[in-house]
Amino acid sequence: MQWLEKMKVSTRLVVGFSVVLALTVFIGVFSIVQMATVHQTAIDLEERWMPSVAYAAHMGKDVSHFRIAEFQHINALTPEEMVQHEKAQGDLLKDLAKNQASYEKLISSPEERALYEEFSKTWSAYLAEHEQIRTLSRQHNRDAALSLMHEDSEKYFHAADESLLKLAAMNIEGGEEAGHVGETVYVSSRFWIIGLLAVCIVFAVLIMLFI
C-alpha cells in the first residue's frame, strides 16, 4: 500500500469517492434496466398472453354453441323456433368475428399465425357445410341434415376446435415462459445488486481506514 500512502489525501479522497460514485451510478442504471425488463414481462402477460388465451377460449365457446344451435335448428318444430335459432347463430357468428379480430391483433409469431390461418380455413369450410345443412333443415329434411352434420361438418368442427385448443395452449406456454424470464431477471438482478452494494461498502470502509 506504499503507492497509496504516497498519494495526497485529497487525491485519495477523489479516487475513493469516484470509485464509490461510479459503482453507485452503475447499480442505479443496472437496476433501472432490469426493472424495465421485469416490467415489460408483466405488460406482455397482461396485454398479450392472457388476452390471447381468453380470446381463444371465447372463440371455442362460440364455435361449440354454434354447432349446438345447428342441431337445435334441425330439431325445431315450428318456423318460429327456426327463426329463433337462426338469430342465435347470427349472434354467435358476430361474436366470433369480434373475438377473431381482437385475437388477430395479438398474434406474435409465424407459428401462431399459421395455426390461426389453419383454424380460419377450417372454419370457412365448416360454414360452407352449414349453408347446405341449414337449407335442408328449412325444408324439414331432418334426416338429410343430420346426416351432413355427422359427415364433413363434424370433421371440420373437430379440426377447428382442436386448432383453437392448440392456440390457447401455445399462449399459455408463452405466458409461462414470460413468467420464467421475469423470475430469472429478478433473481439475477438481486444477486448482482447485493454483490455491488457489498463492493461499495468495502470501498467505503477502505476509504475510512486509509485516508
Side-chain angles (χ1 to χ4, degrees):
M1 291 290 185
Q2 291 183 354
W3 62 271
L4 185 60
E5 293 175 357
K6 293 179 181 179
M7 294 176 62
K8 295 180 179 180
V9 172
S10 60
T11 303
R12 280 184 273 176
L13 283 171
V14 170
V15 172
F17 283 111
S18 295
V19 172
V20 173
L21 179 61
L23 285 171
T24 303
V25 171
F26 180 80
I27 291 172
V29 173
F30 177 78
S31 300
I32 291 172
V33 171
Q34 297 303 88
M35 286 173 61
T37 302
V38 173
H39 178 64
Q40 185 59 51
T41 300
I43 291 176
D44 288 342
L45 281 169
E46 181 180 357
E47 298 182 358
R48 162 72 182 92
W49 301 111
M50 292 177 65
S52 293
V53 173
Y55 288 131
H58 288 318
M59 287 189 286
K61 180 199 70 176
D62 291 333
V63 166
S64 296
H65 287 184
F66 185 84
R67 186 161 179 83
I68 292 171
E70 284 185 301
F71 279 110
Q72 291 173 327
H73 188 277
I74 294 171
N75 292 316
L77 300 177
T78 66
E80 290 76 18
E81 287 184 51
M82 283 192 173
V83 171
Q84 178 183 351
H85 294 312
E86 287 186 16
K87 181 181 182 304
Q89 292 170 7
D91 291 341
L92 287 167
L93 288 178
K94 289 178 183 177
D95 192 59
L96 176 60
K98 182 176 68 174
N99 287 319
Q100 284 184 271
S102 297
Y103 184 90
E104 289 170 5
K105 297 175 183 177
L106 301 174
I107 294 175
S108 61
S109 70
E111 294 80 10
E112 185 178 9
R113 173 69 64 183
L115 186 55
Y116 177 77
E117 289 177 354
E118 180 182 328
F119 160 73
S120 298
K121 181 179 178 181
T122 304
W123 184 245
S124 294
Y126 182 88
L127 290 179
E129 292 292 315
H130 163 71
E131 291 299 324
Q132 300 179 52
I133 293 168
R134 184 173 62 178
T135 298
L136 291 171
S137 180
R138 285 173 175 173
Q139 296 170 353
H140 302 287
N141 194 341
R142 182 175 179 275
D143 291 340
L146 285 174
S147 177
L148 285 182
M149 285 288 287
H150 293 294
E151 293 178 3
D152 286 342
S153 175
E154 185 171 22
K155 179 183 71 176
Y156 293 139
F157 168 75
H158 287 302
D161 187 57
E162 183 178 356
S163 294
L164 291 174
L165 290 174
K166 288 180 179 178
L167 286 171
M170 181 181 292
N171 283 283
I172 290 172
E173 182 179 353
E176 290 175 346
E177 289 178 0
H180 291 323
V181 168
E183 182 179 1
T184 300
V185 170
Y186 167 75
V187 172
S188 64
S189 298
R190 184 177 61 178
F191 171 80
W192 281 105
I193 290 171
I194 291 173
L196 290 170
L197 284 173
V199 172
C200 285
I201 293 171
V202 170
F203 269 101
V205 171
L206 290 175
I207 291 172
M208 289 187 294
L209 292 176
F210 294 101
I211 294 179

